[in-house]
């Protein structure tokens, strides 16, 4: 999904997450209104990655495991490789020892670890250099073929992996 700042792209993703009630129209997942889906089931089937990944003061490994509490060592390593991220570094309070790109890669690693069938990605590579963006886009293409991915981005290089591109203008999807 592309569109100018303030056009409603991020709001659409938040409606899929049911952060706010839908006041007009309908937001559906698999043909069912998200308002009718049990919150726990909705969260199990969705992974949401924003530009600002929220972190707590602990290791990257522990910050990752909030996506899947019973994650195996192999799953953690695989998720980090897909997101081009290590996992034993200490994270300062609210992640202040990490750059914006490192935080974003951690958010993507969480999404890969959660392994939900529906990924909502809001500018997931906006803080990354072209090398790390390429690694992540390749992982999205290869690892998410059996998933539904809604990708919001201003970058043409990011949108190059999309099967279909929609535009949002003044809150309208076209």
């Amino acid at each position: 999904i592309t569109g100018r700042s303030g056009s409603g792209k991020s709001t659409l993703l938040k409606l899929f997450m049911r952060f706010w009630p839908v006041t007009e129209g309908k937001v559906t997942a698999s043909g069912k209104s998200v308002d009718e889906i049990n919150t726990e089931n909705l969260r199990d089937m969705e992974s949401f990655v924003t530009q600002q990944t929220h972190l707590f003061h602990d290791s990257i490994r522990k910050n990752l495991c909030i996506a899947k509490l019973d994650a195996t060592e192999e799953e953690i390593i695989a998720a980090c490789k897909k997101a081009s991220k290590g996992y034993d570094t200490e994270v300062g309070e609210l992640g202040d020892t990490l750059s914006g790109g490192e935080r974003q890669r951690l958010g993507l690693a969480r999404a890969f670890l959660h392994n939900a069938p529906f990924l909502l990605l809001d500018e997931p590579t906006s803080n990354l250099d072209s090398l790390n963006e390429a690694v992540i886009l390749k992982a999205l293409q290869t690892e998410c073929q059996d998933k539904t991915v809604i990708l919001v981005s201003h970058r043409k290089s990011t949108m190059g992996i999309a099967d279909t591109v929609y535009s949002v203008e003044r809150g309208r999807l076209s």
Side-chain angles (χ1 to χ4, degrees), residues 56 58-66 87:
F56 55 92
D58 211 323
S59 68
I60 287 175
R61 174 189 306 270
K62 290 202 177 165
N63 272 276
L64 251 181
C65 286
I66 66 169
Y87 51 87

Side-chain angles (χ1 to χ4, degrees), residues 56-172:
F56 55 92
H57 187 73
D58 211 323
S59 68
I60 287 175
R61 174 189 306 270
K62 290 202 177 165
N63 272 276
L64 251 181
C65 286
I66 66 169
K68 185 175 181 187
L69 298 176
D70 62 346
T72 66
E73 183 73 10
E74 292 77 25
E75 289 172 318
I76 292 168
I77 291 169
C80 287
K81 283 182 181 176
K82 291 173 197 171
S84 188
K85 186 72 196 140
Y87 51 87
D88 278 324
T89 304
E90 278 292 314
V91 175
E93 193 66 37
L94 301 176
D96 61 2
T97 61
L98 302 178
S99 71
E102 289 172 318
R103 294 167 62 95
Q104 223 167 9
R105 290 196 315 270
L106 180 53
L108 285 159
R110 279 181 182 162
F112 285 127
L113 185 61
H114 183 58
N115 199 24
F118 190 27
L119 271 75
L120 304 163
L121 307 175
D122 191 0
E123 298 282 358
T125 61
S126 63
N127 294 314
L128 302 181
D129 58 48
S130 57
L131 178 62
N132 281 308
E133 180 187 35
V135 168
I136 287 164
L137 294 178
K138 184 174 188 307
L140 284 170
Q141 274 188 308
T142 58
E143 300 296 324
C144 297
Q145 292 181 2
D146 62 339
K147 299 178 186 315
T148 299
V149 179
I150 297 181
L151 174 64
V152 167
S153 183
H154 289 95
R155 287 185 179 180
K156 281 189 174 191
S157 57
T158 304
M159 296 312 292
I161 68 166
D163 295 328
T164 307
V165 177
Y166 294 95
S167 180
V168 174
E169 288 295 324
R170 287 181 240 125
R172 298 274 186 221

Side-chain angles (χ1 to χ4, degrees), residues 5 14 23-24 28-29 33 97 168:
S5 292
K14 290 173 183 173
T23 56
E24 285 186 44
T28 63
S33 171
T97 61
V168 174

